[in-house]
Amino acid sequence: MSDMEKARWQSDLTLIADAAREAGAVAFGFFNQSPEVWWKNEDRSPVSAADFAANKTLETILRKARPDYGWLSEETDDDADRLSRETLFIIDPIDGTRAFLGGQKVWCVSVAVVHRGRPVAGVLYAPALEELYEAVEGGVALKNGVPFTVSAARPEEMSRLAIGDDLLKTFPPEFRDRVTREKYIPSLAYRIAMVADGRLEGTFVKGNSHDWDLAAADLILTCAGGGLVDIEGRPIVYNRAEVTHKVLCAAPTPRLDEFLTAFAGRRDS
């Protein structure tokens, strides 16, 4: 990466961090205030006035600052024009809307800059928790300005995993015996951030996650010493025509093979 690119992505990080804070403040104004709610995806997913307001804030700030960048957001109608852009913003104005609407604090604004299919700047801002995660390609992961890394736990030690009980039951016994299940974490982006900052050793992500759930958290985890990969061990490519993904695994890099091997050895595989 050239010095010019480093400076560009660092400038983008500053931009998206400021924008995420502003959008987070807008969303927080609706928190515990019973905002209007609609349903999408055949009435399976809620979206609230807070989601739309935060999305508008992000779109206004970011598109004005970088008019040549593409745009992909959960709360904006998709535009195929993004596929022709080398660089774009990938946005989830509120990751964890159900938690937000239920008065739980584990929700965040997720903003990433993606260049040629991979994130180069990423921010997760959790206003109710007063936490800001940041990362830029080639840099360290920061939480409220303090560097952090993934867990240093070894394979023979107990692993704290965010994994459904039904899925865990299918894993080999010798793997299950070394796992402590974390309670359900309603924001996928925040769950991956918990792997990044060492509160979890890993998580398996069910199929049908989206670019906007993952892009910022992916980079934060990478810069903290981990990886988010598919079950073949391949990193995610973003800004494709299809923005959903199959089963994924997030873990410290030295433990990815261990978790992927355990997944491959399930009884129903």
Side-chain angles (χ1 to χ4, degrees), residues 6-144:
K6 287 181 182 178
R8 177 183 175 186
W9 306 142
Q10 187 62 53
S11 175
D12 280 355
L13 179 63
T14 300
L15 170 67
I16 65 175
D18 289 344
R21 288 189 190 96
E22 289 201 36
V26 168
F28 195 70
F30 290 85
F31 190 49
N32 287 325
Q33 300 299 316
S34 301
E36 189 171 1
V37 176
W38 299 267
W39 291 86
K40 60 183 182 178
N41 299 330
E42 299 178 349
D43 292 337
R44 294 192 304 269
S45 304
V47 58
S48 74
D51 295 84
F52 290 133
N55 190 67
K56 183 177 180 181
T57 298
L58 291 166
E59 193 164 10
T60 299
I61 295 170
L62 298 177
R63 285 191 145 174
K64 180 179 180 180
R66 303 287 191 271
D68 55 326
Y69 283 17
W71 181 266
L72 175 63
S73 169
E74 181 174 13
E75 309 308 347
T76 304
D77 289 340
D78 196 6
D79 184 349
D81 172 73
R82 66 178 171 81
L83 298 172
S84 67
R85 307 293 179 109
E86 275 199 331
T87 310
L88 79 161
F89 297 109
I90 297 186
I91 307 292
D92 193 342
I94 299 180
D95 187 81
T97 297
R98 288 182 185 273
F100 176 92
L101 295 173
Q104 300 176 59
K105 293 183 177 181
V106 183
W107 55 273
C108 58
V109 180
S110 176
V111 186
V113 176
V114 167
H115 180 67
R116 296 178 181 172
R118 290 294 299 163
V120 292
V123 170
L124 299 177
Y125 179 47
L129 297 172
E130 298 182 346
E131 294 176 353
L132 178 72
Y133 290 84
E134 302 171 82
V136 66
E137 185 183 24
V140 298
L142 301 173
K143 181 178 181 181
N144 292 345

